Amino acid sequence: MSRAAVGAAALPRSPGLAAGGVLTLLVLVEVVGRLGLAGPGWPPLTAVLGYVAEPAAQQLLGRALVATGSAALGGFLLGSVAALLVAALSVLLPATAPGLDRLAAVVNAVPLIALGPLLITTAGREATPTLVAALAAGFALFVAATSALASASDAQRDVFAVLGAGRARTLLRLQLPAGLPLIVDGLTLAAPAAVLGAVIGEWFGARRGLGVLLVSSMQNVQTNQLWAAALTAAALSLLAYVLLVALRAAVNRRFQ
């Protein structure tokens, strides 16, 4: 089965089915909260939305959203550039490819929650959310970029070799354009990972952000605020994913 067929099979056949699934989930959340089936820590969805409608809550969530969004965007860009450069280096210098692969695997194997304190002591509290987001996004894109740059066929490589193209020219003229759809697939995974990394990085003492708001809400047992912050983070992650999916569709139409 081709990759296009797999992607088509993964998409819902009807937008109505997707909307129905989301609506069912929202109703279930409301019912569980109303009946108290999950205890006081699970409020009704309407209560959370009522909290979000308050002006003070909107200002609080807005400031946190801007901080987390900025850290996630910075980490996404930093991690993406670093991942593409490392993947390109492994193509230009094939002898370094095994070592770079192992290094990426080792860094990814270290839990982000464990890297936070190390980054605080070396980079500072303000930079930690962005760096954690970069690490989270970078590995996802590195894996995709490595596969993408190897996606050109042997026949195409042979043509470039016969024409006397070096590794750099082959990378820019053949491997990069041929692997662009796969690279965008990696970006689609990296964007939500960057949001998660930014939230985790904020847990370690950042001044503001959704991660800080989550920790503060848990410590002060502010249930509605906790759920509002969690839903805001989920919405930010979903928005990043949707934007990259739209970009992926445009790239697939152009290159496939």
Side-chain angles (χ1 to χ4, degrees), residues 67-98:
T68 300
S70 300
L73 178 59
F76 174 73
L77 296 176
L78 177 61
S80 298
V81 171
L84 291 175
L85 290 177
V86 173
L89 180 62
S90 67
V91 172
L92 297 175
L93 300 175
T96 65

Side-chain angles (χ1 to χ4, degrees), residues 118-143:
L118 299 177
L119 292 175
I120 285 177
T121 58
T122 56
R125 297 181 183 274
E126 295 297 326
T128 295
T130 300
L131 293 177
V132 175
L135 289 172
F139 182 76
L141 184 56
F142 173 75
V143 173

Side-chain angles (χ1 to χ4, degrees), residues 3-4 178 181-182 185 248 250-256:
R3 192 173 68 86
L182 279 176
D185 283 345
R248 181 179 64 182
V251 170
N252 287 341
R253 287 194 299 268
R254 172 62 179 83
F255 288 92
Q256 291 184 347

